[in-house]
Every structure is written in C-alpha cells, then in structure tokens.
Amino acid sequence: PAFTDWDEQAATIIGGQAGIAYENARLIEELQQRSDQLHTSAVHTTFALEAARTGVWTWELPSGRWHGSESLRSLLELSPTDSIASLDRLLELVVREDRPRVEQSFRQSAADLSGLNVEFTMRRPDGSVRVVQANGRVSVDAQGHAARMHGVVTDVTDRRVLEAQLRQAQRIETVGLLAGGIAHDFNNMLTAILGYAR
C-alpha cells in the first residue's frame, strides 16, 4: 500500500523527534563529560592547595562577607560546621598581639586598592599556632569602587623554622670561626712566651 500524506507527515514528525532526542542525548553526554572534567579539575586543585598548605579566600567589601575554600578550613583545622564568614571571625583566630596589625593591613589594602601582603600567627582550635602569610588584591566594580578582595593564606611555619635554624647554624659557624681565630692567636702568643721563657 502507498503512503498517505498523513503517513509522510507522521514519519517526518517522528524522524524530527528522533533527531532531537539523539541531539539531546549527545548534549547530555557532553555536559556530563564536562561536568566530570570540572569535578576532576576541582579535586586536583583542592589537593594541590592542601599540599601547598594554601587556602583561598574572597572578602566581599560592601557586605563584609567572607568566603573561604575547603583548603583554608583544612589549613586552620576548623570543623566542618565552623566557618570564617567575616574579617572579624578571621581576626578571632589571629594571636592577640598580631590582630591590630593584621586588621590594619586588610582594611588599608581595601581602602587604597593596593595589594595585601601580611604575615602573622594564627591559633588553631586545638591551641597550636601556625605562622601564615596572606596575600591578596582588590577588584573594583564598574564605578571604580572596591568590590571584593581575593587572596590566599599560606602556612609558612616550616619555612620560618628552617630559616631560623639556618640563621642559628650560621651564628654557630661564625662563633666557631671566631673561636678558632682566637685560639690560633693565643697559640702563637703562647709559643712566643714559652720561647722567651727558655
């Protein structure tokens, strides 16, 4: 039997729908692949930040809201329910003697639209202390006003300990050289004195 006009229209509609379904399935698969790639990339980034003992943060300047990465929470050993939601909360973790200087550095950087670079000591919830370095820069809105500050906090405790040990070793080496020189001079004088004593 011959196809009627209705049969041809139905076949055209079904073919069109099948084409759309195929294209949708292809797009969904592509989106899933991209999502998987982004997830893998995010996992690698988080792992790299934790390995580098670095946390990422954003300070929304008009609202004062603070956003920190999981690697920042890990660095500070905060519990999953604890968060740094403001600069004031961050300052609570800074040792008391460093707080005024740290707050001044953050606020001055936001006011001047200048880069932030400040080193300070933080106290973790378990009482241990870590020396960290905060670096950041300010982004402006369309009117040129400070909108947010983005930055990183890096744990530099081990680096500072190694630097202190190196300085101590250099001091000991200097004292050793000085003592060796004094002993040599004393030995020469003693030889001369003994020579005259004979």
Side-chain angles (χ1 to χ4, degrees), residues 43-105:
V43 168
H44 288 164
T45 300
T46 299
F47 178 75
L49 287 170
E50 287 180 358
R53 296 184 182 189
T54 299
V56 179
W57 52 268
T58 300
W59 183 23
E60 302 289 344
L61 296 171
S63 68
R65 290 281 303 155
W66 185 284
H67 309 281
S69 66
E70 274 303 312
S71 56
L72 180 60
R73 183 191 309 274
S74 175
L75 172 75
L76 301 176
E77 294 189 352
L78 299 176
S79 70
T81 58
D82 197 3
S83 66
I84 300 175
S86 66
L87 179 61
D88 290 337
R89 175 61 182 120
L90 175 75
L91 292 171
E92 289 173 10
L93 300 171
V94 177
V95 296
R96 188 175 308 279
E97 55 271 22
D98 286 355
R99 281 181 200 163
R101 179 175 55 82
V102 173
E103 181 174 14
Q104 173 66 20
S105 295

Coordinates of all heavy atoms in Angstrom, one line a residue, residues 43-105:
V43 N 38.9 18.7 42.2 CA 39.6 17.8 43.1 C 41.1 18.0 43.1 O 41.7 18.1 44.1 CB 39.2 16.3 42.9 CG1 40.0 15.4 43.6 CG2 37.7 16.1 43.2
H44 N 41.6 18.0 41.9 CA 43.1 18.2 41.7 C 43.5 19.6 42.3 O 44.5 19.7 43.0 CB 43.5 18.1 40.3 CG 43.4 16.8 39.7 ND1 43.4 16.5 38.4 CD2 43.3 15.5 40.3 CE1 43.4 15.2 38.2 NE2 43.3 14.6 39.4
T45 N 42.7 20.6 42.1 CA 43.0 22.0 42.6 C 43.0 21.9 44.1 O 43.9 22.5 44.8 CB 42.0 23.0 42.1 OG1 42.1 23.0 40.6 CG2 42.3 24.4 42.6
T46 N 42.0 21.3 44.7 CA 41.9 21.3 46.2 C 43.1 20.5 46.7 O 43.6 20.9 47.7 CB 40.5 20.6 46.6 OG1 39.5 21.4 46.1 CG2 40.4 20.5 48.1
F47 N 43.4 19.4 46.1 CA 44.5 18.6 46.6 C 45.8 19.4 46.5 O 46.6 19.4 47.4 CB 44.7 17.3 45.7 CG 45.8 16.4 46.1 CD1 45.8 15.7 47.3 CD2 47.0 16.4 45.3 CE1 46.9 14.9 47.6 CE2 48.1 15.7 45.7 CZ 48.0 14.9 46.8
A48 N 46.0 20.1 45.4 CA 47.2 20.9 45.2 C 47.3 22.0 46.3 O 48.4 22.3 46.8 CB 47.3 21.5 43.8
L49 N 46.2 22.7 46.5 CA 46.1 23.7 47.5 C 46.4 23.2 48.9 O 47.2 23.8 49.7 CB 44.8 24.4 47.6 CG 44.5 25.3 46.4 CD1 43.0 25.8 46.4 CD2 45.4 26.6 46.4
E50 N 45.9 22.0 49.3 CA 46.1 21.4 50.6 C 47.6 21.0 50.7 O 48.2 21.1 51.7 CB 45.2 20.3 50.8 CG 43.8 20.7 51.1 CD 42.8 19.6 51.4 OE1 43.2 18.4 51.3 OE2 41.6 19.9 51.6
A51 N 48.1 20.4 49.6 CA 49.5 20.0 49.6 C 50.5 21.2 49.8 O 51.5 21.1 50.4 CB 49.9 19.2 48.3
A52 N 50.1 22.3 49.2 CA 50.9 23.6 49.3 C 50.6 24.3 50.6 O 51.1 25.4 50.8 CB 50.6 24.5 48.1
R53 N 49.7 23.8 51.4 CA 49.3 24.4 52.7 C 48.8 25.8 52.4 O 49.2 26.8 53.0 CB 50.4 24.4 53.7 CG 50.8 23.0 54.1 CD 51.8 23.1 55.2 NE 52.3 21.7 55.5 CZ 53.0 21.5 56.5 NH1 53.5 22.4 57.3 NH2 53.4 20.2 56.8
T54 N 47.9 25.9 51.4 CA 47.4 27.2 51.0 C 45.8 27.2 50.9 O 45.3 26.2 50.5 CB 47.9 27.6 49.6 OG1 49.3 27.7 49.7 CG2 47.4 28.9 49.1
G55 N 45.2 28.2 51.4 CA 43.8 28.4 51.4 C 43.4 29.6 50.6 O 44.2 30.6 50.6
V56 N 42.3 29.6 49.9 CA 41.8 30.7 49.0 C 40.7 31.4 49.7 O 39.8 30.7 50.3 CB 41.4 30.2 47.6 CG1 40.9 31.3 46.8 CG2 42.6 29.4 47.0
W57 N 40.6 32.7 49.6 CA 39.5 33.4 50.3 C 39.1 34.6 49.4 O 39.8 35.1 48.5 CB 39.9 33.9 51.6 CG 41.2 34.7 51.6 CD1 42.5 34.2 51.9 CD2 41.4 36.1 51.4 NE1 43.4 35.2 51.8 CE2 42.7 36.4 51.5 CE3 40.5 37.2 51.1 CZ2 43.3 37.7 51.3 CZ3 41.0 38.4 50.9 CH2 42.4 38.7 51.0
T58 N 37.8 35.0 49.6 CA 37.3 36.2 49.0 C 36.6 37.0 50.1 O 35.8 36.5 50.9 CB 36.3 35.9 47.9 OG1 36.9 35.1 46.9 CG2 35.7 37.1 47.2
W59 N 36.8 38.3 50.1 CA 36.2 39.2 51.0 C 35.3 40.2 50.2 O 35.8 41.0 49.5 CB 37.3 40.0 51.8 CG 36.8 40.9 52.9 CD1 35.6 40.9 53.5 CD2 37.5 42.0 53.4 NE1 35.5 41.9 54.4 CE2 36.7 42.6 54.4 CE3 38.8 42.5 53.2 CZ2 37.1 43.7 55.1 CZ3 39.2 43.7 53.9 CH2 38.3 44.2 54.9
E60 N 34.0 40.0 50.4 CA 33.1 40.9 49.7 C 33.0 42.2 50.5 O 32.5 42.3 51.6 CB 31.7 40.3 49.7 CG 31.6 38.9 49.0 CD 31.8 39.0 47.5 OE1 31.7 40.1 46.9 OE2 32.1 38.0 46.9
L61 N 33.6 43.3 49.9 CA 33.8 44.5 50.7 C 32.5 45.2 51.1 O 32.4 45.6 52.3 CB 34.8 45.4 49.9 CG 36.2 44.8 49.8 CD1 37.1 45.6 48.9 CD2 36.9 44.6 51.1
P62 N 31.5 45.4 50.2 CA 30.4 46.2 50.7 C 29.6 45.5 51.8 O 29.2 46.1 52.8 CB 29.5 46.3 49.4 CG 30.4 46.1 48.3 CD 31.5 45.2 48.8
S63 N 29.5 44.1 51.7 CA 28.7 43.4 52.7 C 29.6 42.9 53.9 O 29.1 42.6 54.9 CB 28.0 42.2 52.1 OG 29.0 41.2 51.7
G64 N 30.9 42.8 53.7 CA 31.8 42.3 54.7 C 31.8 40.8 54.8 O 32.5 40.2 55.6
R65 N 31.0 40.1 53.9 CA 31.0 38.7 53.9 C 32.4 38.1 53.4 O 33.0 38.7 52.6 CB 29.9 38.1 52.9 CG 28.5 38.4 53.4 CD 28.0 37.4 54.5 NE 28.1 36.0 54.0 CZ 28.2 35.0 54.9 NH1 28.3 35.2 56.1 NH2 28.3 33.8 54.4
W66 N 32.7 37.0 54.0 CA 34.0 36.3 53.8 C 33.7 34.9 53.3 O 32.9 34.2 53.9 CB 34.8 36.3 55.1 CG 36.2 35.7 54.9 CD1 36.5 34.4 54.8 CD2 37.4 36.5 54.9 NE1 37.9 34.3 54.7 CE2 38.4 35.6 54.8 CE3 37.7 37.8 55.0 CZ2 39.8 35.9 54.7 CZ3 39.0 38.2 55.0 CH2 40.0 37.3 54.9
H67 N 34.4 34.5 52.2 CA 34.2 33.1 51.7 C 35.6 32.5 51.7 O 36.5 33.0 51.2 CB 33.6 33.1 50.3 CG 32.4 33.9 50.1 ND1 31.2 33.5 50.5 CD2 32.2 35.2 49.7 CE1 30.3 34.4 50.3 NE2 30.9 35.5 49.8
G68 N 35.7 31.3 52.3 CA 37.0 30.6 52.3 C 36.8 29.2 51.7 O 35.8 28.6 51.8
S69 N 37.9 28.7 51.1 CA 37.9 27.4 50.5 C 38.0 26.3 51.5 O 38.3 26.6 52.7 CB 39.1 27.3 49.5 OG 40.3 27.3 50.2
E70 N 37.7 25.1 51.1 CA 37.9 23.9 51.9 C 39.3 23.8 52.4 O 39.6 23.4 53.5 CB 37.5 22.7 51.2 CG 36.0 22.3 51.3 CD 35.5 22.2 52.7 OE1 36.1 21.5 53.6 OE2 34.5 22.9 53.0
S71 N 40.3 24.2 51.5 CA 41.7 24.1 51.8 C 42.0 25.1 52.9 O 42.9 24.8 53.7 CB 42.6 24.3 50.6 OG 42.3 25.5 50.0
L72 N 41.3 26.2 53.0 CA 41.6 27.2 54.1 C 41.1 26.6 55.4 O 41.7 26.6 56.4 CB 40.9 28.5 53.8 CG 41.0 29.6 54.9 CD1 42.5 29.9 55.1 CD2 40.2 30.8 54.5
R73 N 39.9 26.0 55.4 CA 39.3 25.3 56.5 C 40.3 24.2 57.0 O 40.5 24.1 58.2 CB 37.9 24.7 56.2 CG 37.2 24.1 57.4 CD 36.0 23.3 57.0 NE 35.1 24.0 56.2 CZ 34.2 24.8 56.6 NH1 34.0 25.0 57.9 NH2 33.4 25.4 55.8
S74 N 40.8 23.4 56.1 CA 41.8 22.4 56.4 C 43.0 22.9 57.0 O 43.6 22.4 58.0 CB 42.1 21.6 55.2 OG 43.0 20.6 55.4
L75 N 43.5 24.0 56.4 CA 44.8 24.6 56.9 C 44.6 25.1 58.3 O 45.6 24.9 59.1 CB 45.1 25.8 56.0 CG 46.2 26.8 56.4 CD1 47.6 26.1 56.2 CD2 46.2 28.1 55.7
L76 N 43.5 25.6 58.7 CA 43.2 26.1 60.0 C 42.7 25.1 60.9 O 42.4 25.3 62.1 CB 42.3 27.4 60.0 CG 42.8 28.5 59.1 CD1 41.8 29.6 59.1 CD2 44.2 29.0 59.7
E77 N 42.5 23.9 60.4 CA 41.9 22.8 61.1 C 40.6 23.1 61.8 O 40.3 22.8 63.0 CB 42.9 22.2 62.1 CG 44.1 21.6 61.5 CD 45.0 20.8 62.4 OE1 44.8 20.9 63.7 OE2 45.9 20.2 61.9
L78 N 39.7 23.8 61.0 CA 38.4 24.1 61.5 C 37.4 23.0 61.3 O 37.6 22.2 60.3 CB 37.8 25.4 60.8 CG 38.7 26.6 60.9 CD1 38.1 27.8 60.1 CD2 38.7 27.1 62.4
S79 N 36.4 22.8 62.1 CA 35.4 21.8 61.9 C 34.6 22.1 60.8 O 34.5 23.2 60.3 CB 34.6 21.6 63.2 OG 33.8 22.8 63.3
P80 N 33.9 21.1 60.2 CA 33.0 21.3 59.0 C 31.9 22.4 59.3 O 31.4 23.0 58.4 CB 32.4 20.0 58.8 CG 33.4 19.0 59.3 CD 34.0 19.7 60.5
T81 N 31.5 22.5 60.6 CA 30.5 23.4 60.9 C 31.0 24.8 61.2 O 30.2 25.8 61.2 CB 29.7 23.0 62.2 OG1 30.6 22.8 63.3 CG2 29.0 21.6 61.9
D82 N 32.3 25.0 61.4 CA 32.9 26.3 61.7 C 33.3 26.9 60.4 O 33.8 26.3 59.5 CB 34.2 26.1 62.6 CG 34.6 27.4 63.2 OD1 33.9 28.4 63.0 OD2 35.6 27.4 63.9
S83 N 33.0 28.2 60.3 CA 33.4 28.9 59.0 C 33.9 30.3 59.4 O 33.6 30.8 60.4 CB 32.2 29.0 58.1 OG 31.2 29.8 58.7
I84 N 34.6 30.8 58.4 CA 35.1 32.2 58.5 C 34.2 33.0 57.7 O 34.3 33.0 56.4 CB 36.6 32.3 58.1 CG1 37.4 31.5 59.0 CG2 37.0 33.8 58.2 CD1 38.9 31.4 58.6
A85 N 33.2 33.7 58.3 CA 32.2 34.4 57.5 C 32.4 35.9 57.4 O 31.7 36.6 56.8 CB 30.8 34.1 58.1
S86 N 33.5 36.4 58.1 CA 33.8 37.8 58.1 C 35.2 38.0 58.5 O 35.9 37.1 59.0 CB 32.9 38.5 59.2 OG 33.2 38.1 60.5
L87 N 35.7 39.2 58.3 CA 37.1 39.5 58.7 C 37.2 39.4 60.2 O 38.2 39.0 60.7 CB 37.5 40.9 58.2 CG 38.9 41.4 58.6 CD1 40.0 40.5 58.0 CD2 39.1 42.9 58.2
D88 N 36.2 39.8 60.9 CA 36.2 39.7 62.4 C 36.4 38.3 62.9 O 37.2 38.0 63.8 CB 34.9 40.3 63.0 CG 34.8 41.8 62.9 OD1 35.9 42.5 62.7 OD2 33.7 42.3 62.9
R89 N 35.8 37.3 62.2 CA 35.9 35.9 62.6 C 37.4 35.5 62.3 O 37.9 34.7 63.1 CB 34.9 35.1 61.8 CG 35.1 33.6 62.0 CD 34.9 33.2 63.5 NE 35.1 31.8 63.7 CZ 36.0 31.2 64.5 NH1 36.8 32.0 65.2 NH2 36.2 29.9 64.6
L90 N 37.9 35.9 61.2 CA 39.3 35.6 60.9 C 40.2 36.2 62.0 O 41.1 35.5 62.5 CB 39.7 36.2 59.5 CG 41.2 36.0 59.2 CD1 41.5 34.5 58.8 CD2 41.7 36.9 58.1
L91 N 40.0 37.4 62.4 CA 40.8 38.1 63.4 C 40.7 37.3 64.7 O 41.7 37.4 65.5 CB 40.4 39.5 63.5 CG 40.7 40.4 62.3 CD1 40.1 41.8 62.5 CD2 42.2 40.5 62.1
E92 N 39.6 36.7 65.0 CA 39.5 35.9 66.3 C 40.5 34.8 66.3 O 40.9 34.4 67.4 CB 38.1 35.3 66.4 CG 37.0 36.3 66.7 CD 35.6 35.7 66.7 OE1 35.5 34.5 66.6 OE2 34.6 36.5 66.7
L93 N 40.9 34.3 65.2 CA 41.9 33.2 65.1 C 43.3 33.7 65.1 O 44.3 32.9 65.3 CB 41.7 32.4 63.8 CG 40.3 31.7 63.7 CD1 40.1 31.1 62.3 CD2 40.1 30.7 64.8
V94 N 43.5 35.0 64.9 CA 44.9 35.6 64.9 C 45.3 35.8 66.4 O 44.5 36.2 67.2 CB 44.9 36.9 64.2 CG1 46.2 37.6 64.2 CG2 44.4 36.7 62.7
V95 N 46.5 35.5 66.7 CA 47.0 35.8 68.1 C 46.8 37.2 68.4 O 47.0 38.1 67.6 CB 48.5 35.3 68.3 CG1 48.6 33.8 68.1 CG2 49.4 36.0 67.4
R96 N 46.5 37.5 69.7 CA 46.1 38.8 70.1 C 47.1 39.9 69.7 O 46.7 41.0 69.3 CB 46.0 38.8 71.6 CG 45.4 40.1 72.2 CD 45.1 40.0 73.7 NE 44.3 38.8 74.1 CZ 43.0 38.8 73.9 NH1 42.3 39.8 73.5 NH2 42.3 37.7 74.3
E97 N 48.4 39.7 69.8 CA 49.4 40.7 69.6 C 49.5 41.1 68.1 O 50.0 42.2 67.7 CB 50.8 40.3 70.1 CG 51.4 39.0 69.6 CD 51.0 37.8 70.5 OE1 49.9 37.9 71.2 OE2 51.7 36.8 70.4
D98 N 49.0 40.2 67.2 CA 49.1 40.5 65.8 C 47.8 41.1 65.2 O 47.8 41.6 64.1 CB 49.4 39.2 65.0 CG 50.8 38.7 65.1 OD1 51.6 39.4 65.7 OD2 51.1 37.6 64.6
R99 N 46.7 41.0 66.0 CA 45.4 41.4 65.5 C 45.4 42.9 64.9 O 44.9 43.1 63.8 CB 44.3 41.2 66.5 CG 43.9 39.8 66.7 CD 42.8 39.7 67.7 NE 42.7 38.3 68.1 CZ 42.1 37.9 69.2 NH1 41.5 38.7 70.0 NH2 42.1 36.6 69.5
P100 N 45.8 43.9 65.7 CA 45.7 45.2 65.2 C 46.5 45.4 63.8 O 45.9 46.1 62.9 CB 46.3 46.1 66.3 CG 46.2 45.3 67.5 CD 46.4 43.8 67.1
R101 N 47.6 44.9 63.7 CA 48.4 45.0 62.5 C 47.8 44.3 61.3 O 47.7 44.8 60.2 CB 49.8 44.4 62.8 CG 50.8 44.5 61.6 CD 52.2 44.0 62.0 NE 52.2 42.7 62.6 CZ 52.1 41.5 61.8 NH1 52.1 41.6 60.5 NH2 52.2 40.4 62.5
V102 N 47.2 43.1 61.6 CA 46.5 42.3 60.5 C 45.3 43.1 60.0 O 45.1 43.2 58.8 CB 46.2 40.9 61.0 CG1 45.4 40.2 59.9 CG2 47.5 40.2 61.3
E103 N 44.5 43.5 61.0 CA 43.2 44.3 60.6 C 43.6 45.5 59.8 O 43.0 45.8 58.8 CB 42.4 44.6 61.9 CG 41.1 45.3 61.5 CD 40.2 45.6 62.7 OE1 40.7 45.4 63.8 OE2 39.1 45.9 62.5
Q104 N 44.6 46.3 60.3 CA 45.0 47.5 59.6 C 45.5 47.2 58.2 O 45.2 47.9 57.2 CB 46.2 48.1 60.4 CG 46.8 49.3 59.7 CD 45.9 50.5 59.5 OE1 44.9 50.6 60.2 NE2 46.2 51.4 58.6
S105 N 46.2 46.1 58.0 CA 46.7 45.7 56.7 C 45.6 45.4 55.7 O 45.6 45.8 54.6 CB 47.6 44.5 56.8 OG 48.8 44.8 57.5

